[in-house]
């Protein structure tokens, strides 16, 4: 049966227009009724702070900070030649810190990037010793960690792209090591403490490290060194 034969009232243009309008409206009602449970489920899923953060900031470019920014700092990064004798500028990674929701982690990180005037900041000269492809880049393995008392801290912030988070040892304690999330990493939520967010240099620094990521165990193929760091 042709479309014109299906139209009640004949094949005139007005009759066909009325019929099409009726079909469209009926389809909207049916689709709307079927979609209602799905919309209700979506609202329920999006009710948690973590879900709302992912829906708002989990897509597109680097997300804005999740919490109040209390401090800002930077890490200047260089890449080492194969023999380690030459260093080439990669870029500056700028970080916003959340001192209100992660006071212990932020205070520790400020110690790591600051100098006492007599010696370089503890992070100066360290490398990103662990790079897991499309996951994280990690640094902060200071030579003498005994000067930094272990601590424990948790919060409800999520690991979005560019999140700055503290690593933990086998006992669940934080000390000096930290990582930056290359992409959104919900598998880290609740287990590691987010205390900041990369606000500049993700493409130039972190994504470049990720592009040259090392073996499956995280050992990097190229050395990336923190040549300078400090507060902004």
């Amino acid at each position: 049966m042709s479309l014109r034969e299906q139209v009640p009232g004949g094949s005139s243009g007005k009759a066909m227009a009325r019929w099409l309008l009726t079909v469209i409206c009926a389809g909207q009602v049916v689709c709307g009724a079927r979609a209602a449970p799905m919309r209700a489920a979506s609202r329920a899923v999006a009710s948690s702070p973590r879900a709302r953060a992912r829906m708002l900031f989990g897509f597109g470019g680097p997300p804005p900070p999740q919490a109040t920014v209390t401090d800002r700092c930077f890490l200047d990064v260089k890449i080492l030649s194969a023999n380690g004798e030459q260093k080439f500028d990669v870029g500056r990674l700028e970080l916003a810190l959340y001192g209100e929701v992660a006071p212990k982690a932020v205070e520790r990180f400020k110690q790591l990037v600051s100098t006492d005037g007599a010696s370089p900041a503890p992070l100066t000269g360290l490398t990103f010793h662990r790079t897991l492809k499309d996951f994280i880049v990690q640094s902060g393995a200071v030579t003498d960690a005994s000067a930094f008392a272990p601590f424990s801290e948790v919060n409800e912030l999520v690991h979005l792209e560019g999140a700055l988070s503290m690593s933990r040892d086998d006992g669940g304690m934080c000390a000096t090591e930290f990582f930056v999330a290359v992409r959104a990493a919900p598998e880290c939520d609740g287990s590691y403490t987010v205390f900041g967010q990369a606000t500049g240099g993700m493409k130039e620094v972190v994504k470049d490290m990720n592009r040259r990521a090392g073996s499956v165990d995280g050992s990097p193929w190229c050395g990336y060194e923190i040549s300078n760091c400090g507060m902004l």
Side-chain angles (χ1 to χ4, degrees):
M1 182 182 295
S2 68
L3 178 59
R4 290 183 179 275
E5 292 174 329
Q6 295 179 50
V7 178
S11 59
S12 67
K14 289 184 178 180
M16 182 171 290
R18 285 194 298 270
W19 179 77
L20 287 173
L21 182 60
T22 301
V23 171
I24 292 171
C25 291
Q28 288 176 337
V29 170
V30 171
C31 291
R34 292 177 178 174
M38 186 177 295
R39 286 196 296 269
S42 299
R43 285 194 295 270
V45 170
S47 61
S48 70
R50 290 181 178 176
R52 287 198 296 271
R54 293 202 181 283
M55 290 181 69
L56 289 172
F57 308 131
F59 306 95
Q66 298 181 64
T68 300
V69 175
T70 57
D71 304 276
R72 295 182 184 274
C73 62
F74 71 91
L75 305 177
D76 287 336
V77 179
K78 292 180 180 288
I79 187 172
L80 307 179
S81 61
N83 58 15
E85 296 179 357
Q86 292 179 293
K87 302 177 182 180
F88 305 93
D89 289 332
V90 176
R92 169 171 287 193
L93 184 62
E94 296 184 355
L95 303 163
L97 306 180
Y98 308 145
E100 292 184 0
V101 294
K104 294 179 182 179
V106 168
E107 185 59 32
R108 175 56 49 82
F109 200 72
K110 289 167 67 175
Q111 294 174 345
L112 293 172
V113 302
S114 301
T115 177
D116 58 9
S119 57
L123 288 186
T124 302
L126 296 186
T127 62
F128 282 84
H129 61 277
R130 188 165 180 250
T131 57
L132 296 175
K133 182 72 172 178
D134 298 327
F135 186 35
I136 64 165
V137 296
Q138 183 172 333
S139 184
V142 299
T143 304
D144 183 13
S146 62
F148 302 95
F151 67 92
S152 178
E153 187 171 58
V154 295
N155 58 38
E156 290 296 312
L157 301 186
V158 298
H159 289 75
L160 304 177
E161 178 183 333
L164 177 64
S165 187
M166 291 300 294
S167 300
R168 293 181 181 275
D169 60 21
D170 293 337
M173 302 298 286
C174 306
T176 62
E177 294 194 29
F178 64 92
F179 64 88
V180 178
V182 175
R183 46 87 174 163
E187 57 268 54
C188 294
D189 295 349
S191 298
Y192 301 92
T193 302
V194 175
F195 66 96
Q197 175 69 40
T199 57
M202 274 295 293
K203 180 179 180 181
E204 297 83 358
V205 180
V206 176
K207 294 298 179 72
D208 190 73
M209 279 189 269
N210 183 62
R211 185 168 60 88
R212 304 171 190 268
S215 57
V216 176
D217 67 355
S219 301
W221 290 341
C222 296
Y224 285 84
E225 179 185 280
I226 298 173
S227 61
N228 190 27
C229 56
M231 302 301 296
L232 290 173

